């Protein structure tokens, strides 16, 4: 469980004081969460480990810049750091793959109907997301999980606003196809 309120304030103070036990406590509380945030953007396991490590280093070396704004603000800040480190990685290593137009993805309006996710385990959904092309996955995550507008996404990734919208649309189409294929394989045969 991630701390909130006074416990969160105490942890931050201990981190600022350089308390090694606080670093271990922070790691045990936030490591899995941060790895999950990074994995939304980074599909390759080795790259994911690097980005996760960079996120932790950034958080722990810049904890003095964090401003407590109430319960949950530490989690919000570490999320932002993990997203920014993931985007930084993508901009440097995979720049050419951020704007990826896959013209083999047909704009089929029927395929854009969202199927139910109720019967799909979260791990399977995460695997589906990781199979999306880098650009699609990045735009989808920024739009859905971070609540960014297409204009903000375009600025963050150095792409056009229309490209952001197009990649989100195509990501959704691909996800719908993956979900339907999964559900078709799980449906009992008669």
């Amino acid at each position: 469980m991630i701390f909130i309120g006074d416990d969160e304030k105490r942890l931050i103070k201990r981190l600022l004081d350089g308390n090694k036990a606080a670093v271990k406590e922070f790691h045990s509380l936030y490591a899995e969460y941060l790895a999950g945030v990074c994995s939304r953007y980074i599909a390759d396991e080795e790259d994911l480990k690097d980005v996760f490590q960079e996120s932790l280093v950034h958080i722990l070396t810049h904890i003095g810049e964090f401003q407590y704004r109430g319960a949950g603000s530490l989690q919000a800040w570490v999320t932002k750091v993990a997203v920014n480190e993931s985007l930084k990685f993508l901009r440097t290593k995979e720049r050419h793959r951020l704007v990826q137009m896959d013209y083999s993805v047909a704009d089929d309006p029927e395929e854009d109907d969202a199927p139910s996710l109720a019967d799909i385990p979260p791990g399977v959904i995460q695997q589906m997301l990781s199979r999306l092309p880098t650009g699609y996955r990045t735009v989808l995550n920024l739009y859905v999980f971070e609540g960014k507008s297409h204009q903000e996404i375009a600025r963050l990734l150095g792409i056009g606003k229309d490209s952001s919208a197009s990649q989100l649309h195509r990501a959704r189409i691909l996800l719908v196809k993956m979900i339907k294929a999964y559900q078709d394989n799980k449906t009992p045969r008669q």
Side-chain angles (χ1 to χ4, degrees):
M1 171 157 167
I2 296 177
F3 285 141
I4 56 172
D6 290 336
D7 290 333
E8 190 176 52
K9 284 183 194 178
R10 280 192 285 277
L11 178 60
I12 295 163
K13 180 171 180 350
R14 291 173 46 225
L15 287 170
L16 288 168
D17 292 342
N19 182 307
K20 290 184 182 186
V23 172
K24 286 181 182 179
E25 187 175 351
F26 175 85
H27 188 274
S28 70
L29 290 170
Y30 284 94
E32 187 176 335
Y33 173 77
L34 286 172
V37 172
C38 294
S39 72
R40 291 195 320 239
Y41 296 89
I42 311 298
D44 180 79
E45 281 296 314
E46 291 303 312
D47 292 339
L48 175 60
K49 289 176 187 175
D50 291 343
V51 172
F52 169 75
Q53 186 67 31
E54 288 298 320
S55 297
L56 279 177
V57 167
H58 184 99
I59 290 164
L60 294 172
T61 58
H62 292 86
I63 193 71
E65 297 170 12
F66 169 71
Q67 295 178 355
Y68 184 80
R69 293 191 169 109
S73 60
L74 180 60
Q75 183 176 347
W77 183 70
V78 299
T79 301
K80 184 177 179 179
V81 169
V83 168
N84 287 339
E85 288 296 325
S86 298
L87 294 178
K88 184 169 113 181
F89 171 83
L90 292 173
R91 280 191 299 266
T92 57
K93 184 169 186 208
E94 301 194 30
R95 177 87 173 129
H96 65 285
R97 291 172 51 187
L98 280 178
V99 180
Q100 182 173 357
M101 299 306 290
D102 185 351
Y103 293 101
S104 65
V105 178
D107 289 331
D108 186 356
E110 290 182 35
E111 293 295 325
D112 206 23
D113 295 334
S116 171
L117 301 176
D119 300 336
I120 303 177
V124 172
I125 294 171
Q126 180 66 32
Q127 288 174 347
M128 290 176 189
L129 288 170
S130 72
R131 291 190 346 238
L132 289 173
T134 302
Y136 294 5
R137 183 178 60 250
T138 304
V139 170
L140 178 87
N141 280 306
L142 288 169
Y143 187 84
V144 173
F145 294 107
E146 308 307 325
K148 302 287 185 195
S149 69
H150 287 298
Q151 187 156 348
E152 292 170 308
I153 294 169
R155 184 181 44 77
L156 283 169
L157 301 180
I159 62 175
K161 181 177 159 186
D162 291 340
S163 180
S164 173
S166 175
Q167 288 194 43
L168 176 64
H169 176 72
R170 291 173 186 276
R172 286 179 171 165
I173 290 170
L174 285 175
L175 271 177
V176 166
K177 287 180 180 182
M178 286 185 235
I179 291 166
K180 286 183 178 182
Y182 176 85
Q183 290 172 334
D184 288 346
N185 288 330
K186 293 295 178 186
T187 302
R189 305 282 181 226
Q190 296 191 18

